[in-house]
CSV table of all heavy atoms in Angstrom, one decimal:
chain,number,residue,atom,x,y,z
F,676,ASP,N,32.8,6.1,34.8
F,676,ASP,CA,34.1,5.8,35.4
F,676,ASP,C,34.4,4.2,35.5
F,676,ASP,O,33.4,3.5,35.6
F,676,ASP,CB,34.2,6.3,36.8
F,676,ASP,CG,35.6,6.2,37.4
F,676,ASP,OD1,35.9,5.2,38.0
F,676,ASP,OD2,36.4,7.1,37.2
F,677,GLU,N,35.6,3.8,35.3
F,677,GLU,CA,36.0,2.4,35.3
F,677,GLU,C,35.5,1.7,36.6
F,677,GLU,O,35.0,0.5,36.5
F,677,GLU,CB,37.5,2.2,35.1
F,677,GLU,CG,37.9,0.8,35.2
F,677,GLU,CD,37.3,-0.1,34.1
F,677,GLU,OE1,36.9,0.4,33.0
F,677,GLU,OE2,37.2,-1.3,34.3
F,678,ALA,N,35.6,2.4,37.7
F,678,ALA,CA,35.1,1.7,39.0
F,678,ALA,C,33.6,1.4,38.9
F,678,ALA,O,33.2,0.4,39.4
F,678,ALA,CB,35.5,2.6,40.1
F,679,VAL,N,32.9,2.4,38.4
F,679,VAL,CA,31.4,2.2,38.3
F,679,VAL,C,31.1,1.0,37.3
F,679,VAL,O,30.3,0.2,37.5
F,679,VAL,CB,30.7,3.5,37.8
F,679,VAL,CG1,29.2,3.3,37.7
F,679,VAL,CG2,31.0,4.6,38.8
F,680,LEU,N,31.8,1.0,36.1
F,680,LEU,CA,31.6,0.0,35.1
F,680,LEU,C,31.9,-1.4,35.7
F,680,LEU,O,31.3,-2.4,35.3
F,680,LEU,CB,32.4,0.3,33.9
F,680,LEU,CG,32.0,1.6,33.1
F,680,LEU,CD1,32.9,1.8,31.9
F,680,LEU,CD2,30.5,1.4,32.6
F,681,ARG,N,33.0,-1.5,36.5
F,681,ARG,CA,33.3,-2.8,37.1
F,681,ARG,C,32.2,-3.3,38.0
F,681,ARG,O,31.9,-4.5,38.1
F,681,ARG,CB,34.6,-2.7,37.9
F,681,ARG,CG,35.8,-2.6,37.0
F,681,ARG,CD,37.1,-2.7,37.9
F,681,ARG,NE,38.3,-2.5,37.1
F,681,ARG,CZ,39.5,-2.7,37.5
F,681,ARG,NH1,39.7,-3.2,38.7
F,681,ARG,NH2,40.6,-2.5,36.7
F,682,LEU,N,31.5,-2.3,38.8
F,682,LEU,CA,30.4,-2.8,39.6
F,682,LEU,C,29.2,-3.2,38.8
F,682,LEU,O,28.5,-4.1,39.2
F,682,LEU,CB,30.1,-1.6,40.6
F,682,LEU,CG,31.1,-1.3,41.7
F,682,LEU,CD1,30.7,-0.1,42.5
F,682,LEU,CD2,31.2,-2.5,42.6
F,683,ILE,N,29.0,-2.5,37.7
F,683,ILE,CA,27.9,-2.9,36.8
F,683,ILE,C,28.2,-4.3,36.2
F,683,ILE,O,27.3,-5.1,36.2
F,683,ILE,CB,27.8,-1.9,35.6
F,683,ILE,CG1,27.3,-0.5,36.2
F,683,ILE,CG2,26.8,-2.4,34.6
F,683,ILE,CD1,27.3,0.6,35.1
F,684,ARG,N,29.4,-4.5,35.8
F,684,ARG,CA,29.7,-5.9,35.3
F,684,ARG,C,29.6,-6.9,36.4
F,684,ARG,O,29.0,-8.0,36.1
F,684,ARG,CB,31.2,-5.9,34.8
F,684,ARG,CG,31.5,-7.2,34.1
F,684,ARG,CD,33.0,-7.2,33.6
F,684,ARG,NE,33.2,-6.2,32.6
F,684,ARG,CZ,32.9,-6.4,31.3
F,684,ARG,NH1,32.4,-7.6,30.9
F,684,ARG,NH2,33.2,-5.4,30.4
F,685,MET,N,30.0,-6.6,37.6
F,685,MET,CA,29.8,-7.6,38.7
F,685,MET,C,28.3,-7.9,39.0
F,685,MET,O,28.0,-9.0,39.2
F,685,MET,CB,30.4,-7.0,40.0
F,685,MET,CG,30.3,-7.8,41.2
F,685,MET,SD,30.9,-7.0,42.7
F,685,MET,CE,32.7,-6.8,42.3
F,686,THR,N,27.5,-6.8,38.9
F,686,THR,CA,26.1,-7.0,39.1
F,686,THR,C,25.5,-7.9,38.0
F,686,THR,O,24.6,-8.8,38.2
F,686,THR,CB,25.4,-5.6,39.1
F,686,THR,OG1,25.9,-4.8,40.2
F,686,THR,CG2,23.9,-5.8,39.4
F,687,ALA,N,25.9,-7.6,36.7
F,687,ALA,CA,25.4,-8.4,35.6
F,687,ALA,C,25.7,-9.8,35.7
F,687,ALA,O,25.0,-10.7,35.4
F,687,ALA,CB,25.9,-7.8,34.3
F,688,GLU,N,27.0,-10.1,36.2
F,688,GLU,CA,27.4,-11.5,36.4
F,688,GLU,C,26.6,-12.2,37.5
F,688,GLU,O,26.3,-13.4,37.4
F,688,GLU,CB,28.9,-11.5,36.6
F,688,GLU,CG,29.7,-11.1,35.4
F,688,GLU,CD,31.2,-11.0,35.7
F,688,GLU,OE1,31.6,-11.0,36.9
F,688,GLU,OE2,32.0,-10.8,34.8
F,689,GLY,N,26.4,-11.4,38.6
F,689,GLY,CA,25.6,-12.0,39.7
F,689,GLY,C,24.2,-12.4,39.2
F,689,GLY,O,23.6,-13.4,39.6
F,690,ALA,N,23.6,-11.5,38.4
F,690,ALA,CA,22.2,-11.7,37.9
F,690,ALA,C,22.2,-12.9,36.9
F,690,ALA,O,21.3,-13.8,37.0
F,690,ALA,CB,21.7,-10.5,37.1
F,691,LYS,N,23.3,-13.0,36.1
F,691,LYS,CA,23.3,-14.1,35.2
F,691,LYS,C,23.4,-15.5,35.9
F,691,LYS,O,22.7,-16.4,35.5
F,691,LYS,CB,24.5,-13.9,34.3
F,691,LYS,CG,24.7,-15.0,33.2
F,691,LYS,CD,25.9,-14.7,32.3
F,691,LYS,CE,26.0,-15.8,31.2
F,691,LYS,NZ,27.1,-15.6,30.3
F,692,LYS,N,24.2,-15.5,36.9
F,692,LYS,CA,24.3,-16.8,37.7
F,692,LYS,C,22.9,-17.2,38.3
F,692,LYS,O,22.6,-18.4,38.4
F,692,LYS,CB,25.3,-16.6,38.8
F,692,LYS,CG,26.7,-16.6,38.3
F,692,LYS,CD,27.7,-16.4,39.5
F,692,LYS,CE,29.1,-16.3,39.0
F,692,LYS,NZ,30.1,-16.2,40.1
F,693,ALA,N,22.1,-16.3,38.6
F,693,ALA,CA,20.8,-16.6,39.2
F,693,ALA,C,19.7,-16.7,38.1
F,693,ALA,O,18.6,-17.1,38.4
F,693,ALA,CB,20.4,-15.5,40.2
F,694,GLY,N,20.1,-16.3,36.9
F,694,GLY,CA,19.1,-16.5,35.8
F,694,GLY,C,18.0,-15.4,35.8
F,694,GLY,O,16.9,-15.6,35.4
F,695,ILE,N,18.4,-14.2,36.3
F,695,ILE,CA,17.4,-13.1,36.3
F,695,ILE,C,17.9,-12.0,35.4
F,695,ILE,O,19.1,-11.8,35.2
F,695,ILE,CB,17.1,-12.5,37.7
F,695,ILE,CG1,18.4,-11.8,38.3
F,695,ILE,CG2,16.6,-13.6,38.6
F,695,ILE,CD1,18.1,-11.0,39.5
F,696,PRO,N,17.0,-11.2,34.8
F,696,PRO,CA,17.4,-10.1,33.9
F,696,PRO,C,17.9,-8.9,34.7
F,696,PRO,O,17.6,-8.7,35.8
F,696,PRO,CB,16.1,-9.7,33.1
F,696,PRO,CG,15.0,-10.1,34.1
F,696,PRO,CD,15.5,-11.4,34.8
F,697,VAL,N,18.8,-8.1,34.0
F,697,VAL,CA,19.3,-6.9,34.6
F,697,VAL,C,19.2,-5.8,33.7
F,697,VAL,O,19.6,-5.9,32.5
F,697,VAL,CB,20.8,-7.2,35.1
F,697,VAL,CG1,21.7,-7.6,34.0
F,697,VAL,CG2,21.4,-5.9,35.8
F,698,GLY,N,18.7,-4.6,34.2
F,698,GLY,CA,18.6,-3.4,33.3
F,698,GLY,C,19.4,-2.3,33.9
F,698,GLY,O,20.0,-2.4,35.0
F,699,ILE,N,19.4,-1.2,33.1
F,699,ILE,CA,20.0,0.1,33.6
F,699,ILE,C,18.9,1.1,33.5
F,699,ILE,O,18.3,1.3,32.5
F,699,ILE,CB,21.2,0.5,32.6
F,699,ILE,CG1,22.3,-0.6,32.6
F,699,ILE,CG2,21.7,1.8,33.0
F,699,ILE,CD1,23.2,-0.5,33.8
F,700,CYS,N,18.8,1.9,34.6
F,700,CYS,CA,17.8,3.0,34.5
F,700,CYS,C,18.4,4.3,34.9
F,700,CYS,O,17.7,5.3,35.1
F,700,CYS,CB,16.6,2.7,35.4
F,700,CYS,SG,17.0,2.5,37.2
F,701,GLY,N,19.8,4.3,35.0
F,701,GLY,CA,20.5,5.6,35.2
F,701,GLY,C,20.8,6.3,33.9
F,701,GLY,O,20.5,5.7,32.8
F,702,GLU,N,21.4,7.4,33.9
F,702,GLU,CA,21.6,8.2,32.7
F,702,GLU,C,22.5,7.6,31.7
F,702,GLU,O,22.4,7.8,30.5
F,702,GLU,CB,22.2,9.6,33.1
F,702,GLU,CG,23.5,9.6,33.7
F,702,GLU,CD,24.0,11.0,34.0
F,702,GLU,OE1,23.2,11.8,34.6
F,702,GLU,OE2,25.2,11.3,33.7
F,703,ILE,N,23.4,6.7,32.1
F,703,ILE,CA,24.3,6.1,31.1
F,703,ILE,C,23.6,5.1,30.2
F,703,ILE,O,24.1,4.7,29.2
F,703,ILE,CB,25.6,5.5,31.8
F,703,ILE,CG1,25.2,4.2,32.6
F,703,ILE,CG2,26.3,6.4,32.6
F,703,ILE,CD1,26.4,3.4,33.0
F,704,GLY,N,22.4,4.7,30.6
F,704,GLY,CA,21.6,3.8,29.8
F,704,GLY,C,21.3,4.4,28.4
F,704,GLY,O,21.1,3.7,27.4
Side-chain angles (χ1 to χ4, degrees):
D676 187 271
E677 177 59 26
V679 180
L680 293 176
R681 286 191 186 186
L682 289 175
I683 293 173
R684 187 180 295 275
M685 180 185 295
T686 303
E688 290 172 353
K691 183 178 180 180
K692 288 180 181 178
I695 66 170
V697 57
I699 299 281
C700 63
E702 66 180 45
I703 69 170

